[in-house]
Amino acid sequence: MSAAYYDRIQRLRRLEALLPKPGTKAGDCLDGTRLLEIIGEAYGKGSPNSRRRALQRDLEALVKDGRIEAVNPGGKPLRYRRMGHEVDEDVLIWEYTLRQVRDLIAEAVPKRQLDRLWERLLHEGDCPLLSDQQLRVVPDSLRLRPVELYPEVLHAVISALAQQCALQVVYRNAAGERSRPLLHPQALVQRGPIPYLFALKNDEDDLRLYALHRFIRAEIKPQIPARAAEDFDLDRALAEGKIDFGRGEQIELVIRVRGYLTPLLLACPLSENQTSEEEPDDSDFDVRLQAQLPQTGQLLRWLLGAGDNLQVLAPVELRHVLAEQARKMAGLYPSDPDDPIA
């Protein structure tokens, strides 16, 4: 086997493994530009056009062999994902695995998408790169016990999503009132201890959130295709704070921080556009931060949880909410620690 042929075989394997798994939605699949950003060095030091042509030839070869597919034929740019065939094992499997890890890191780290990196390391393919004894994701807040669900309900919800069909349910709201809507599932989200279903109800066009533990019964309706919510994108819905039952209006948050929050927020920004400046020497705080992000209940809970290590400066309405909550909390505790609790 010539060295050039061997290098191309290795490159094709590496390219195939880099692509997301079968069934990945088109928006999460990779195009030629992104692939070249990740493994461009595998195509030498020629001109950008020559490297792009070489990559395109490799992609076309993998498509022809039935190893990958273009998820948007005729689209620009074309996006690709795997067809489900595993890369053949050979004596170079360890070298190949290390390259796969480097490629996954090159894809995830610049976008700060570590959650997706951990997911692929733990669950990609039949032989994950790491076991759950080697990698674990631990929440940084108190984790409540998950809600109890009816197994048959969960099975019906997942089946309806997978088959993209409607779901007839018996739903009990927070007031204990029951209804029997026909739901058109869009996406399932685990928020803290409770899973929620994004769905359209009956003939309505407004997207709603349904807590799965309030489903009494659920029956899949394979004969009724699920209606698609217009312009629904799960990533955008999460970024806009819709999973937190708020409208998620974007605000310009200005805060002062100190203590453990200073290194934490400088290393892990609140948003991509966060800016920071040091506080004056006579200030009680270390740094002033400014960031654009959606105003949600999750944000409010996080601000309250920071205690006196954080001060909200803007927006004024949010500052007033924090002040009122702090006054109510202080009223629950006696000023004298020897006072009996009422």
Side-chain angles (χ1 to χ4, degrees):
M1 180 187 299
S2 69
Y5 182 76
Y6 172 81
D7 288 344
R8 184 163 190 262
I9 293 298
Q10 293 300 101
R11 193 174 68 229
L12 288 173
R13 287 173 172 168
R14 184 179 176 189
L15 183 59
E16 179 185 3
L18 176 61
L19 294 175
K21 61 186 178 181
T24 301
K25 65 181 181 180
D28 291 333
C29 295
L30 302 181
D31 59 31
T33 299
R34 184 70 185 116
L35 289 168
L36 275 179
E37 290 176 357
I38 298 171
I39 60 169
E41 85 287 346
Y43 291 91
K45 299 181 179 179
S47 68
N49 285 338
S50 66
R51 297 164 72 199
R52 190 176 298 109
R53 287 193 296 269
L55 170 66
Q56 191 58 46
R57 287 194 295 269
D58 283 353
L59 290 169
E60 291 171 355
L62 291 173
V63 170
K64 184 178 180 180
D65 290 343
R67 293 161 63 180
I68 70 172
E69 63 177 341
V71 297
N72 59 335
K76 290 185 179 181
L78 286 172
R79 294 177 178 273
Y80 299 88
R81 66 186 176 202
R82 295 203 309 269
M83 289 285 286
H85 302 290
E86 296 298 326
V87 180
D88 294 334
E89 293 184 356
D90 56 26
V91 294
L92 298 173
I93 189 64
W94 178 242
E95 178 185 351
Y96 163 77
T97 299
L98 292 179
R99 279 192 172 183
Q100 187 179 6
V101 172
R102 284 196 294 270
D103 292 341
L104 290 174
I105 291 173
E107 177 189 3
V109 170
K111 297 182 178 181
R112 294 181 183 252
Q113 294 178 335
L114 293 183
D115 52 343
R116 294 188 180 184
L117 172 63
W118 305 143
E119 181 72 16
R120 294 191 69 175
L121 289 175
L122 284 171
H123 303 296
E124 188 80 359
D126 295 330
C127 297
L129 295 174
L130 296 178
S131 73
D132 60 3
Q133 292 300 311
Q134 296 171 306
L135 171 62
R136 195 70 57 88
V137 178
V138 180
D140 63 350
S141 59
L142 178 65
R143 190 168 186 175
L144 303 177
R145 298 283 296 170
V147 295
E148 291 188 12
L149 302 174
Y150 292 108
E152 60 273 16
V153 165
L154 185 57
H155 181 271
V157 170
I158 293 173
S159 299
L161 275 171
Q163 299 181 47
Q164 298 182 352
C165 61
L167 195 66
Q168 188 76 57
V169 306
V170 176
Y171 187 79
R172 182 181 59 224
N173 64 20
E177 301 167 340
R178 293 193 180 193
S179 60
R180 292 171 171 77
L182 181 71
L183 301 183
H184 298 265
Q186 309 294 312
L188 191 60
V189 176
Q190 178 84 25
R191 175 182 173 271
I194 302 176
Y196 294 89
L197 180 68
F198 275 110
L200 297 175
K201 175 184 176 183
N202 299 328
D203 296 327
E204 299 176 2
D205 293 326
D206 293 334
L207 198 62
R208 297 170 180 257
L209 268 178
Y210 294 89
L212 254 60
H213 68 289
R214 299 194 183 280
F215 285 51
I216 306 302
R217 287 194 298 274
E219 178 186 357
I220 188 171
K221 295 291 184 180
Q223 73 277 16
I224 306 177
R227 294 189 296 116
E230 186 176 359
D231 296 328
F232 174 68
D233 179 84
L234 182 58
D235 288 330
R236 185 169 65 247
L238 295 175
E240 292 174 351
K242 291 182 178 178
I243 190 60
D244 207 27
F245 309 101
R247 288 176 292 176
E249 300 95 336
Q250 290 289 316
I251 62 171
E252 194 79 27
L253 180 69
V254 183
I255 58 176
R256 299 197 300 174
V257 299
R258 62 188 175 193
Y260 77 95
L261 281 181
T262 301
L264 176 63
L265 291 181
L266 291 178
C268 306
L270 288 164
S271 67
E272 292 182 0
N273 53 30
Q274 174 179 295
T275 60
S276 64
E277 60 178 291
E278 292 188 3
E279 282 283 289
D281 292 339
D282 58 351
S283 172
D284 292 332
F285 291 86
D286 302 325
V287 175
R288 178 177 300 211
L289 301 173
Q290 185 168 337
Q292 288 184 349
L293 69 170
Q295 181 169 320
T296 63
Q298 185 181 44
L299 173 62
L300 177 60
R301 292 188 295 273
W302 183 82
L303 293 171
L304 289 169
D308 66 352
N309 286 302
L310 179 149
Q311 182 186 42
V312 173
L313 301 180
V316 174
E317 295 82 1
L318 182 58
R319 176 182 171 89
H320 290 166
V321 170
L322 267 292
E324 182 62 23
Q325 290 292 324
R327 280 192 289 270
K328 289 180 179 179
M329 291 176 62
L332 296 176
Y333 302 96
S335 57
D336 184 348
D338 294 328
D339 286 348
I341 298 177

